[in-house]
Amino acid sequence: MPSGGAEGRAEVIATLSRLAHEQVVSSTTRDLLDAAEPLCDRLPADSDDAALIRVTRRDVDRARKLPADFVAERARAASQSIQVWREARPRNDFATFRPYLERMVEFARRTADYLGYTEHPYDALLDGYEPEMTSREVAALFAQLRDGTVPLLRAVVARASAVDAGVLRQEYAEEPVRRFALAIVRAFGYDLDRGRLDTSAHPFSTGFNRNDVRITTRYGRQSLGALFGAFHEAGHAMYSQGSAPSLERTPLAGGASNGIHESQSRLWENLVGRSRAFWQHAFPALQQHFPTQLRATDAEAFYRAVNRVEPSLIRVEADEVTYNLHIILRFELEQGLVAGAIAPQNLPEIWNAKMTEYLGVTPPADTDGVMQDIHWSGGLIGYFPSYTIGNVVSVQFFEAARRAHPDLVDRIRRGEFATLLGWLREHVHTHGRKFFPRDLLERATGTPLTPVPYLDYLRAKYHEIYGIQSRAG
Amino acid sequence: MPSGGAEGRAEVIATLSRLAHEQVVSSTTRDLLDAAEPLCDRLPADSDDAALIRVTRRDVDRARKLPADFVAERARAASQSIQVWREARPRNDFATFRPYLERMVEFARRTADYLGYTEHPYDALLDGYEPEMTSREVAALFAQLRDGTVPLLRAVVARASAVDAGVLRQEYAEEPVRRFALAIVRAFGYDLDRGRLDTSAHPFSTGFNRNDVRITTRYGRQSLGALFGAFHEAGHAMYSQGSAPSLERTPLAGGASNGIHESQSRLWENLVGRSRAFWQHAFPALQQHFPTQLRATDAEAFYRAVNRVEPSLIRVEADEVTYNLHIILRFELEQGLVAGAIAPQNLPEIWNAKMTEYLGVTPPADTDGVMQDIHWSGGLIGYFPSYTIGNVVSVQFFEAARRAHPDLVDRIRRGEFATLLGWLREHVHTHGRKFFPRDLLERATGTPLTPVPYLDYLRAKYHEIYGIQSRAG
């Protein structure tokens, strides 16, 4: 968008937000729901119709708590604030951004007040991204993760020289990277008759309906990062493409939560795309695309390179071990902001202190510190936990699929991804938003949300890569 | 869009069409209008407020004649039909497209019936693109144009060898063409802080508000056509960018009619971009971009090359002399379709016969014949006359600007376009939709719609280029 268009777009988004809100809270919707609800008792709880009534009621109840003017005003402020962030971030200009951030934090607090909560205002926000989850649960999960991750990271950093990622720091032309990424996501099962792969400043996926779900990635001159961006976004897109046709154009189309969505992207990016089995299959083809750069490398060395762990400043570039520490930091800051315990003006200082404490790196500038993510600028507060929940759940799903198909990893090693996708389609994708994340997870895996499989996965993988002696307990 | 997305998009567009329609015809809008209308008498007729009431009343009255279900159904059918056309056209498959075309013609006839008309159902459709104009007026204008153009074309064709366009049939790399096009449209006055130039399969301009108006062009390996596509779209975009800020987010933002819009694109594409004065200014810079290709060419030869006249199959590639004959043909067919005098199944035959009669060329396939334009597939019937009205009006505006600034052409020869743009801003752009095309034209030029200046312009330019002896009378 040309820079001049920001203000006009803010007005349009405010108007559309208001109109959409008005439809949801209208008396027509309410009357229809009131008439339908008594039928619920006669329907199986997992039927489409029962879920439609249940989920719509929840959406409507939530929306009715927010005045239409407030929704429009918040949307307009978010558009403006995002635009200011876009311009201020490259100039490392937190001072200009600060009043807009303060305003978005204030909107988040007012949102929580309108929505109501019993324990912490953060609960009201979190519930918008992770239905029926509380910050108490998140905090408990994150504490376990942190306690499991910090010693692992320390052990890995002590043996940093065990992995050489030099092979990745060469010149990789964009076009062959794109062709290879496209071939892989197609092999995963991303349907290109109902999708496409484009280039953008930051990778994303966006969908209009299950038959039009598009992804982007970004290309760096000295990076194969575009591959993992494409795998990640294809994971999101396959989830959307797999939503049952019967749910189209209803509130049930889409994904169960941001965390469940992220579980799909991380599963394909990491549990498949950064696995040894996958690169045993895919490396020869990549080598054909880059015979010069990859002449002296083999699948095993490449596997190790793409799994190099290194504490760094930027969340979206973080490896599997350090990623959740970035999220835990944001979760703690968000809770403080919403509760009023942290003032936005103190954020840069607190951010940098926590980065030093958790990751041992200190941002030299807010550009790569507190201003690195777009989320807060648009008022997305309460969203970050979903990323880590996604990591945790991705392993729970993968392990459940492997219990159903014990040869799953061998199949991946043969370039056969249909078994995995089929399991995900049946147990996750097809249900759209029908079930709360908690229920979906239980139905699919038989267990509630737990960090244990994720921590086991991390330890097994990185102990082996870095040659760390596992200790009992 | 991936092909799978067409159906879902059709549904979305149908829903949005219905919602927009419902807002326009709502009792709220009607009550507000009823309350405002008595104020009109106390307002100057050319005030923003009086125009707002007048134009909104017209829009509302027109919209209220169409049932919301019909609008949604028509929008859905149009989306489907466009998609079928997209797939059938390259396969030269009129048979597959035909039932969809028949359906869109039927929608057009029903639209005319709903809207009402006194003389010809076509009037009701035309009025949607050229407010307050009748097909009788269009027919009279087109007859004069045809009578003036056919002998000119005959004379030009007889001296076809007088102009050599071989210089254009070389390899022109895309990137320098793009850079040159961008420099020129910026010099014209297209504001790139409020716009951008991209690449697409067909050139177009699209705007979200006056501060975000974007254009595209297309690049051919053996063509500088991208330049004229960019000039054309920049003309449209400068009109939208020049709409008064006070009209933003009201029904008065935008352009007076499709024909007036086209006058702006054709003015910059042809009256500036294909003028001798312009290329005397711009050719040296183009030559620097393509020193090899343009080594043996000078500004005069280049000017002649880009004005070569040649009857051809494709409207969008037609030169200034033959262009209107393509439109006249379509206008005649549309009138026949809407009146029921022509059945869609006979279109290919009639199309080819008329092409042979008017232009002396016969399409070898429907791909480059009756299926070449997207318009009919989307139900845009009554739209084509706007193109020729645009050509006619472009010269009326240009001559009026020259009366105000007798050295206008000298200024263009010096690369000074601000005088011309300033005149257009003041007399055309700033008014948005405030005035009916007829009134806008009279206010700006002092004369009603007339083909005389356009025919005089064509004759003077092409007699000179082709060395044709002018005869008196």
Side-chain angles (χ1 to χ4, degrees), chain A residues 3 13 43 68 78 88 92 98 118 130 197 214 221 250-251 274 277 308 313 388 390 433 445-446:
Chain A
S3 59
I13 291 174
L43 294 167
N92 189 37
R98 203 188 76 195
T118 47
E130 296 303 323
L197 171 65
R214 313 179 191 183
R221 288 173 64 86
T250 79
R274 282 194 172 88
R308 181 158 198 269
L313 297 174
T388 283
R433 285 181 76 209
T445 70

Short mmCIF file of all heavy atoms in Angstrom, two decimals, chain A residues 3 13 43 68 78 88 92 98 118 130 197 214 221 250-251 274 277 308 313 388 390 433 445-446:
data_model
loop_
_atom_site.label_atom_id
_atom_site.label_comp_id
_atom_site.label_asym_id
_atom_site.label_seq_id
_atom_site.Cartn_x
_atom_site.Cartn_y
_atom_site.Cartn_z
N SER A 3 2.08 4.84 1.11
CA SER A 3 1.98 5.35 2.48
C SER A 3 0.76 6.26 2.65
O SER A 3 0.14 6.27 3.71
CB SER A 3 3.27 6.10 2.84
OG SER A 3 3.47 7.16 1.92
N ILE A 13 -11.50 0.02 7.47
CA ILE A 13 -11.48 -1.11 8.40
C ILE A 13 -12.38 -0.82 9.59
O ILE A 13 -13.10 -1.70 10.07
CB ILE A 13 -10.03 -1.44 8.82
CG1 ILE A 13 -9.27 -2.01 7.62
CG2 ILE A 13 -10.01 -2.42 9.98
CD1 ILE A 13 -7.81 -2.24 7.85
N LEU A 43 -29.61 -32.88 19.75
CA LEU A 43 -28.55 -33.15 18.76
C LEU A 43 -27.34 -33.78 19.44
O LEU A 43 -27.03 -33.43 20.58
CB LEU A 43 -28.12 -31.84 18.10
CG LEU A 43 -29.15 -31.13 17.23
CD1 LEU A 43 -28.68 -29.71 16.91
CD2 LEU A 43 -29.38 -31.92 15.94
N ALA A 68 -20.45 -1.15 19.61
CA ALA A 68 -20.03 -1.02 18.20
C ALA A 68 -19.09 0.17 18.00
O ALA A 68 -18.12 0.08 17.24
CB ALA A 68 -21.26 -0.88 17.30
N ALA A 78 -5.98 0.96 15.66
CA ALA A 78 -5.02 -0.10 15.35
C ALA A 78 -4.37 0.15 14.00
O ALA A 78 -3.15 0.03 13.85
CB ALA A 78 -5.72 -1.46 15.37
N ALA A 88 8.30 3.93 12.34
CA ALA A 88 9.19 4.21 13.48
C ALA A 88 10.22 3.10 13.69
O ALA A 88 11.35 3.37 14.09
CB ALA A 88 8.36 4.40 14.75
N ASN A 92 14.36 3.14 14.60
CA ASN A 92 14.65 2.88 16.01
C ASN A 92 14.03 3.96 16.90
O ASN A 92 14.61 4.41 17.87
CB ASN A 92 16.17 2.81 16.22
CG ASN A 92 16.51 2.32 17.63
OD1 ASN A 92 15.82 1.46 18.17
ND2 ASN A 92 17.56 2.89 18.22
N ARG A 98 5.57 5.29 21.02
CA ARG A 98 5.08 5.08 22.38
C ARG A 98 3.63 5.52 22.63
O ARG A 98 2.83 4.73 23.14
CB ARG A 98 6.01 5.75 23.39
CG ARG A 98 5.90 5.13 24.76
CD ARG A 98 6.67 5.93 25.78
NE ARG A 98 5.96 7.16 26.14
CZ ARG A 98 6.51 8.19 26.79
NH1 ARG A 98 7.79 8.15 27.11
NH2 ARG A 98 5.80 9.25 27.10
N THR A 118 -12.55 -13.16 35.85
CA THR A 118 -12.64 -13.42 37.28
C THR A 118 -11.29 -13.22 37.96
O THR A 118 -11.22 -12.70 39.07
CB THR A 118 -13.12 -14.86 37.57
OG1 THR A 118 -12.38 -15.75 36.75
CG2 THR A 118 -14.60 -15.00 37.25
N GLU A 130 -7.27 -18.14 22.49
CA GLU A 130 -7.27 -19.53 22.98
C GLU A 130 -8.54 -19.73 23.80
O GLU A 130 -8.51 -19.61 25.04
CB GLU A 130 -6.03 -19.80 23.83
CG GLU A 130 -4.72 -19.71 23.06
CD GLU A 130 -4.67 -20.65 21.86
OE1 GLU A 130 -5.20 -21.78 21.96
OE2 GLU A 130 -4.11 -20.24 20.82
N LEU A 197 1.82 -19.67 -3.96
CA LEU A 197 2.97 -19.25 -3.17
C LEU A 197 3.51 -17.95 -3.75
O LEU A 197 3.86 -17.91 -4.93
CB LEU A 197 4.06 -20.34 -3.22
CG LEU A 197 5.43 -19.97 -2.62
CD1 LEU A 197 5.35 -19.72 -1.12
CD2 LEU A 197 6.46 -21.07 -2.92
N ARG A 214 -3.79 -18.90 0.53
CA ARG A 214 -2.52 -18.55 -0.12
C ARG A 214 -1.41 -18.38 0.91
O ARG A 214 -1.67 -18.02 2.05
CB ARG A 214 -2.70 -17.23 -0.88
CG ARG A 214 -3.96 -17.24 -1.73
CD ARG A 214 -4.15 -15.93 -2.47
NE ARG A 214 -5.48 -15.88 -3.06
CZ ARG A 214 -5.93 -14.88 -3.82
NH1 ARG A 214 -5.13 -13.87 -4.09
NH2 ARG A 214 -7.16 -14.92 -4.31
N ARG A 221 19.32 -13.18 0.45
CA ARG A 221 20.41 -13.54 -0.45
C ARG A 221 21.28 -14.65 0.14
O ARG A 221 21.75 -15.51 -0.57
CB ARG A 221 21.28 -12.33 -0.76
CG ARG A 221 20.61 -11.31 -1.68
CD ARG A 221 21.48 -10.06 -1.78
NE ARG A 221 22.76 -10.33 -2.41
CZ ARG A 221 22.96 -10.32 -3.72
NH1 ARG A 221 21.96 -10.10 -4.54
NH2 ARG A 221 24.15 -10.56 -4.22
N THR A 250 -19.90 -20.73 7.45
CA THR A 250 -20.51 -20.73 8.78
C THR A 250 -19.41 -20.30 9.75
O THR A 250 -18.23 -20.32 9.41
CB THR A 250 -21.02 -22.12 9.21
OG1 THR A 250 -19.90 -22.90 9.68
CG2 THR A 250 -21.72 -22.84 8.08
N PRO A 251 -19.79 -19.95 10.98
CA PRO A 251 -18.77 -19.59 11.97
C PRO A 251 -17.85 -20.76 12.32
O PRO A 251 -16.88 -20.57 13.03
CB PRO A 251 -19.60 -19.15 13.19
CG PRO A 251 -20.93 -18.76 12.64
CD PRO A 251 -21.15 -19.67 11.47
N ARG A 274 12.39 -30.01 9.63
CA ARG A 274 13.72 -29.98 10.23
C ARG A 274 14.08 -31.35 10.81
O ARG A 274 14.91 -31.46 11.72
CB ARG A 274 13.81 -28.89 11.32
CG ARG A 274 13.98 -27.49 10.76
CD ARG A 274 14.41 -26.49 11.84
NE ARG A 274 14.75 -25.20 11.26
CZ ARG A 274 13.87 -24.21 11.04
NH1 ARG A 274 12.60 -24.38 11.36
NH2 ARG A 274 14.28 -23.07 10.51
N ALA A 277 14.78 -37.52 8.94
CA ALA A 277 14.13 -38.35 7.92
C ALA A 277 13.78 -37.53 6.69
O ALA A 277 13.99 -37.96 5.55
CB ALA A 277 12.87 -39.01 8.50
N ARG A 308 20.84 -25.84 13.98
CA ARG A 308 21.80 -25.15 14.85
C ARG A 308 21.03 -24.27 15.83
O ARG A 308 20.11 -23.56 15.47
CB ARG A 308 22.74 -24.30 14.01
CG ARG A 308 23.77 -23.59 14.83
CD ARG A 308 25.00 -23.20 13.99
NE ARG A 308 26.11 -22.90 14.89
CZ ARG A 308 26.35 -21.65 15.34
NH1 ARG A 308 25.59 -20.66 14.96
NH2 ARG A 308 27.36 -21.44 16.18
N LEU A 313 18.37 -12.33 18.79
CA LEU A 313 17.48 -11.22 19.17
C LEU A 313 16.06 -11.38 18.65
O LEU A 313 15.12 -10.88 19.25
CB LEU A 313 18.05 -9.90 18.62
CG LEU A 313 19.41 -9.47 19.17
CD1 LEU A 313 19.89 -8.24 18.40
CD2 LEU A 313 19.30 -9.17 20.66
N THR A 388 3.66 -20.59 21.44
CA THR A 388 4.28 -21.67 22.22
C THR A 388 3.31 -22.83 22.41
O THR A 388 3.71 -24.00 22.35
CB THR A 388 4.81 -21.11 23.56
OG1 THR A 388 6.03 -20.42 23.28
CG2 THR A 388 5.05 -22.21 24.58
N GLY A 390 1.28 -23.72 20.28
CA GLY A 390 1.41 -24.42 19.00
C GLY A 390 2.59 -25.37 18.98
O GLY A 390 2.48 -26.52 18.52
N ARG A 433 -13.70 -25.09 13.44
CA ARG A 433 -13.81 -24.51 14.78
C ARG A 433 -14.82 -25.27 15.64
O ARG A 433 -15.27 -24.75 16.66
CB ARG A 433 -14.27 -23.06 14.68
CG ARG A 433 -13.23 -22.06 14.24
CD ARG A 433 -13.87 -20.65 14.22
NE ARG A 433 -14.04 -20.09 15.55
CZ ARG A 433 -15.00 -19.22 15.90
NH1 ARG A 433 -15.90 -18.84 15.00
NH2 ARG A 433 -15.09 -18.76 17.13
N THR A 445 -5.76 -36.85 20.67
CA THR A 445 -4.55 -37.45 21.25
C THR A 445 -4.85 -38.25 22.51
O THR A 445 -3.97 -38.98 22.99
CB THR A 445 -3.52 -36.35 21.63
OG1 THR A 445 -4.02 -35.61 22.77
CG2 THR A 445 -3.28 -35.41 20.47
N GLY A 446 -6.03 -38.08 23.09
CA GLY A 446 -6.35 -38.80 24.32
C GLY A 446 -5.78 -38.16 25.56
O GLY A 446 -5.96 -38.68 26.67
#
